Amino acid sequence: MLAACGSPGKPVDPAPVSNAAWPQPAHVGGPDSSAGGATDTSCDPLVSLAPNGTGVPDGSTMAKIKERGKLIAGVDQTTYLFGFRNPTTGNLEGFDIDMVNEIARSIFGSPEGRVQFRAITSGQREDVLEEHQVDIVVRTYSITCSRKKNVQFSSVYYKAGQRILVTKESKVTKLADLTGKRVCAAKKSTSAAKIATDPSKPVPISVDNWSDCLVMLQQGQVDAVSTDDTILAGMAAQDPTLKVVGDQFTEENYGIGVPKDNEDMVRYVNAVLDKIRNSDAWQNSYRRWVEPSLGPASPPSPQYK
C-alpha cells in the first residue's frame, strides 16, 4: 500500500533508435561486373536459327516433351507485369508467362495443366539450361554473345532498355547523377554489369531478385534501382511513391533460352514466335500487361541464319 501511494519516480527515456536499420534481403553483394557478358561483341547476338514449322517429329525434343506431358519452363515469380504470382489466384501471370503458354499451346493444343513452372533467379538462368533442369527459360532474358556460348536463344521477342527507378523526391534524372550512390541490380544481369563498369562510378549492390531491389529502395537502403524499363515499370505500378527517370541507356533484347544441344527446340520456338507476332497474341498480351505503363509498341522483327 505504501508503494502504491508513493511517488512514481523519474520517468526513464527509451533507448535512442537513430541507428536502427532495416534488415537486408538475403545474399546482398557488391559489384558484378562480368554479369551477362554485355561487352562481348564476338557474335551477332540477335541472329537465331531459322524456324522449320510447328510439327512435332518423332524423336525430337518436342516429342519428348509431349510424351512427358509437361513443358518445364524457368520463369520469374517476382517481376510484376512480366512474371509474377497473382496473390488472389496463386497463378503465375504476365507477358513472359503468356509466351510460355503459347509454346505449350502449340505442343499440346492447350496450355491448361501442361506447363510446369519453375521459379528461378536471374543468376540461375544459364545453370538450369546447362543442367537440363528446364526445357526453356522465359525470364526477361537479354541475349548476349557471352551467354550464347553456353545456351541457345530464340529470336528476339521483346526489346527493352535500361533506365533508373528512384523515389519521387529524388533529384536524380540520369546515371551520371548517381556517382557514389548505392544502386541496386540483380546478380548476373546485364544491368548489374553496366552499373559496375559505368564511368560515373555508382556503388553497385547486387541481389538475387528484382523484388529485393524494390524493398531496399523503399526502405532507403539504396538510392536507386537500375534495370530494364519493363521491370521498373512494374515496380512503379506497385508503389506510387516511385518514378522511372531518364532515357534508355542500353538496349536489351529478350530471347527465350534453350539448352545448347536442343537446336530443334530453338527452331520450333522461333516458329511459334512467328505465329505469335503475326496473330493478335503478342499485341493482346502487350496491351494487357505493358502498354498502360510504357505505351504502344510492336513486336520486334526476327533475324535468322
Side-chain angles (χ1 to χ4, degrees):
M1 290 178 65
L2 288 172
C5 295
S7 170
K10 184 178 179 180
V12 178
D13 290 333
V17 295
S18 57
N19 293 326
W22 291 99
Q24 289 190 338
H27 312 132
V28 174
D32 198 3
S33 59
S34 63
T39 58
D40 187 341
T41 58
S42 61
C43 74
D44 184 345
L46 307 189
V47 175
S48 185
L49 298 172
N52 59 358
T54 55
V56 181
D58 291 343
S60 66
T61 302
M62 298 75 71
K64 294 173 185 176
I65 293 170
K66 193 168 186 177
E67 183 178 355
R68 182 205 298 147
K70 297 275 188 180
L71 173 70
I72 305 174
V75 298
D76 196 355
Q77 64 173 356
T78 64
T79 299
Y80 186 52
L81 304 181
F82 270 73
F84 69 100
R85 194 169 294 281
N86 185 315
T88 302
T89 65
N91 295 329
L92 285 166
E93 297 180 357
F95 187 84
D96 277 350
I97 305 302
D98 286 351
M99 298 299 107
V100 174
N101 285 332
E102 288 302 317
I103 296 170
R105 187 190 310 280
S106 181
I107 295 173
F108 297 105
S110 169
E112 297 301 323
R114 294 298 192 175
V115 182
Q116 180 182 327
F117 291 108
R118 176 167 180 181
I120 59 174
T121 67
S122 293
Q124 293 175 315
R125 292 177 295 196
E126 270 96 275
D127 294 340
V128 296
L129 288 169
E130 289 184 276
E131 296 169 10
H132 286 267
Q133 296 177 18
V134 299
D135 301 311
I136 54 174
V137 165
V138 191
R139 195 191 187 284
T140 57
Y141 199 4
S142 297
I143 307 170
T144 68
C145 293
S146 177
R147 288 171 173 167
K148 289 184 83 168
K149 293 173 182 176
N150 302 312
V151 303
Q152 297 262 15
F153 279 100
S154 72
S155 58
V156 178
Y157 70 92
Y158 189 91
K159 284 185 177 289
Q162 190 169 350
R163 294 175 67 187
I164 299 165
L165 182 75
V166 292
T167 63
K168 285 190 173 176
E169 293 76 24
S170 174
K171 300 294 192 290
V172 169
T173 60
K174 56 187 180 298
L175 193 56
D177 296 336
L178 289 166
T179 301
K181 303 291 187 182
R182 291 162 61 90
V183 184
C184 189
K187 293 175 182 176
K188 294 189 178 181
S189 66
T190 53
S191 304
K194 174 62 177 173
I195 295 165
T197 58
D198 193 78
S200 62
K201 297 189 182 304
V203 178
I205 304 297
S206 58
V207 296
D208 287 341
N209 291 297
W210 289 114
S211 55
D212 296 330
C213 281
L214 174 59
V215 171
M216 293 184 78
L217 179 61
Q218 291 169 326
Q219 295 179 349
Q221 297 183 58
V222 296
D223 300 285
V225 179
S226 184
T227 186
D228 306 349
D229 50 8
T230 49
I231 299 171
L232 299 182
M235 294 182 186
Q238 293 175 85
D239 187 341
T241 68
L242 305 177
K243 61 181 178 180
V244 181
V245 298
D247 296 327
Q248 292 183 352
F249 50 87
T250 67
E251 184 178 277
E252 306 296 333
N253 297 282
Y254 295 168
I256 293 172
V258 178
K260 187 73 172 177
D261 51 349
N262 289 357
E263 288 193 2
D264 58 346
M265 187 65 179
V266 179
R267 296 183 187 277
Y268 185 86
V269 168
N270 282 339
V272 175
L273 289 176
D274 276 353
K275 290 178 66 175
I276 292 171
R277 293 185 191 98
N278 295 324
S279 67
D280 292 332
W282 194 97
Q283 281 290 356
N284 289 342
S285 181
Y286 183 86
R287 289 190 186 108
R288 179 182 181 188
W289 299 114
V290 189
E291 187 172 289
S293 297
L294 296 181
S298 299
S301 299
Q303 298 179 44
Y304 298 125
K305 292 181 182 179

